[in-house]
Amino acid sequence: MARLRIAGQRRRTAVPATPALTSRSWHEPTAHEIEGMGTDVVLDLGWGRLVFGQTFRDLRGIVDALRGEETGRRDICVYPRDPQVLVGMAPDELFIDPSLTYRLDLHRYRTRPDVIRGVFVRTVTSAAEMDRINELYARNGMVTGDAATMWANHRTRTFTYLVAEDTRTGRIVGTVTGVDHVLAFGDPEGGTSLWCLVADKQDAPPGTGEALVRVLVERYVGRGRAYLDLSVMHDNTPAIKLYRKLGFARVPAVCIKRKNPINTPLFASRPPGLESLNPYARIIADEALRRGIRVEVTDADWGEMRLTVGGRSVLTRESLSEFTTAVAMSRCDDKRVTRRIMRRAGVRVARGALAGEGDLADARALLADVGQVVVKPARGEQGRGITVGVKGEAGLERAVAQALHFCPDVLVEELVEGDDLRVVVIDREVVAAAVRRPAEVIGDGRHPVVDLVRETSRRRERATGGESRIPLDDTTAEVVADAGFAMEDVPPHGERIPVRRTANLHTGGTIEDVTERLHPTIAEAAVRAAEALGIPVTGIDFLVPAVDGPDYVFIEANERPGLANHEPQPVVERFVDLLFPETRRR
């Protein structure tokens, strides 16, 4: 009797229990085992090259290949034979990567019975999407790749670049790369490998990483491949948990890398206190260490470090350094002073009035004239005490009372419609520009607003090391009510609901890079503002009707802008260039 086969199912051939070439680093392959396999195979992935160690008959060839690594790239040798001998041949240049290799036998893979909601995984469809992939790499501290090389790779079947779309917004929120070893060099083991799995820490729906891995696995199952390998850092607990859930198991294969500035954290001891730094200080420390600059954490809670090259040291607190004078800092600290300096410099400012306890006459007059105002403490940061969209006299009194908790002097300004734009100026040059948007949640048709706020806040908190979270307070409830919802309502799928009025990142706001679209008039105003303040590093805030138009209104200047918010723009690189120009990368 013929064996019954179900339509749509593929016959899977079991792989050998122990593939000799990649699971036994001490194994000397026979001519039969490597018949038809390419030799000395090196693949360029844009961010670095994969050196397939099992294709090299002479270990000296691997050493020579890794010595050819380009500056700013990260080459990886996988499946080297006798890795301890390989490193011993060039101990000052090579090291064994502190990662683990996991393997999924594809004939054992089982599909998921239900659909991962909110995520659609597809193949990359345009060269422009490679730039979005690079943005995801940069946000996650990974080496970015050459987009042209990645696109050329993708146009062959050897490489597979997948992206995950958030079905609520249509935005790309994750990516993964696959390499088919059979097509690359005629791998007799029928292997494949997974690289660069990343999901947007702030915006990706739950399960995005799993969806990407599963689609890649199923692609290779469809090709009849034997296994899928990946390398993961030994301390990346969430990723390891996901891989084990999907059926991956440890194999003894290792990776070899070259001792370059990018890899320094993997083979050299780290300064004490480094792990306790917040993301805004840590990103600067990492860049300094990559350049060989000595980092001494002097106060981790404060984000303070001493950076040293040769006999010269600079003390920093996040992006604030000794290069910023006390006078420049005080000019930014008091918004009244900042406004006067801007007016003298010819930078447009919003109409404003001062208020204090029992002194609201000028503020009332301004409110009556313009209809809506913003009330803020004259001194303060991180959005504390600010009320946006004040309309009536009773609201004005409440807003001023709230601001007085943070400063005895209160500034009342005309509410100007437009996007909240942050322009980062370093050493008299615009390095980055980003639109900051107030926190919002997106309905999924299943959960109430309050649960969506909690989940979104958790993602923001994880992505920023606890620096950003959405408060569940009266202000959030009021903003949700203004949008026509109650906190317990279940909004429709894809419905965007604002939950905060200000775009402050510390209360869950998001940021969108617009550097390439910034109008020259606004860029020139930002540089003029920085020069007038006499400050080398600053974040200039504007309200603009359009980023690519010339109209703007100055809001304030920040003497300690958060550089971690502006990747992939080279803000950290330019900051360290300012401090130590002799380390500038040519």
Side-chain angles (χ1 to χ4, degrees), residues 57-75:
R57 302 279 66 80
D58 188 342
L59 293 181
R60 285 172 295 187
I62 298 178
V63 175
D64 291 339
L66 291 175
R67 282 174 175 163
E69 179 183 66
E70 295 183 8
T71 302
R73 292 290 180 249
R74 173 179 278 165
D75 290 354

Side-chain angles (χ1 to χ4, degrees), residues 215-457:
V215 171
L216 186 65
V217 167
E218 289 160 12
R219 293 281 178 95
Y220 290 141
V221 168
R223 291 187 187 181
R225 299 300 181 245
Y227 62 78
L228 176 69
D229 279 3
L230 58 88
S231 177
V232 58
M233 278 294 124
H234 69 95
D235 56 356
N236 190 348
T237 304
I240 292 173
K241 183 178 179 180
L242 168 63
Y243 299 140
R244 286 176 172 167
K245 169 187 173 183
L246 295 177
F248 285 81
R250 284 277 306 276
V251 291
V254 299
C255 295
I256 304 293
K257 294 179 181 176
R258 190 164 175 263
K259 291 181 177 178
N260 62 23
I262 294 174
N263 291 328
T264 299
L266 303 178
F267 65 84
S269 60
R270 309 291 275 164
L274 191 71
E275 303 301 327
S276 300
L277 292 173
N278 66 39
Y280 304 105
R282 177 64 184 268
I283 193 173
I284 295 168
D286 287 343
E287 175 63 21
L289 290 169
R290 276 194 289 268
R291 299 189 186 199
I293 298 171
R294 181 171 177 264
V295 176
E296 177 190 359
V297 180
T298 51
D299 191 326
D301 293 338
W302 192 238
E304 184 184 284
M305 304 174 293
R306 186 179 302 279
L307 309 181
T308 304
V309 170
R312 188 169 68 87
S313 295
V314 178
L315 196 65
T316 66
R317 183 198 168 203
E318 299 171 8
S319 63
L320 180 65
S321 76
E322 294 175 298
F323 285 27
T324 298
T325 67
V327 172
M329 188 170 173
S330 64
R331 287 170 172 171
C332 294
D333 181 55
D334 193 321
K335 297 175 178 63
R336 298 166 299 180
V337 176
T338 311
R339 286 171 55 86
R340 290 200 298 269
I341 293 173
M342 291 303 104
R343 281 197 294 263
R344 289 198 296 266
V347 178
R348 294 193 292 274
V349 298
R351 294 175 58 187
L354 296 178
E357 189 168 1
D359 181 13
L360 299 180
D362 292 343
R364 289 192 183 100
L366 177 65
L367 177 61
D369 197 19
V370 301
Q372 285 192 76
V373 294
V374 178
V375 178
K376 62 180 74 171
R379 303 175 67 180
E381 60 181 3
Q382 298 183 357
R384 288 190 285 262
I386 297 178
T387 306
V388 178
V390 177
K391 297 179 181 179
E393 190 165 318
L396 177 65
E397 292 175 357
R398 287 196 302 271
V400 170
Q402 180 179 348
L404 285 170
H405 288 299
F406 299 91
C407 181
D409 301 300
V410 175
L411 184 61
V412 181
E413 291 182 332
E414 174 187 9
L415 177 63
V416 180
E417 295 295 334
D419 288 329
D420 185 334
L421 174 69
R422 162 68 60 88
V423 181
V424 177
V425 180
I426 299 177
D427 200 15
R428 299 185 177 186
E429 290 186 7
V430 170
V431 182
V435 170
R436 302 183 299 176
R437 306 190 190 283
E440 64 177 10
V441 297
I442 304 175
D444 60 6
R446 296 181 295 130
H447 295 95
V449 173
V450 65
D451 288 350
L452 296 173
V453 171
R454 288 194 182 103
E455 176 57 33
T456 303
S457 183

Side-chain angles (χ1 to χ4, degrees), residues 100 113 128 353 386 531 543:
L100 306 175
I386 297 178
E531 290 177 338
L543 281 174

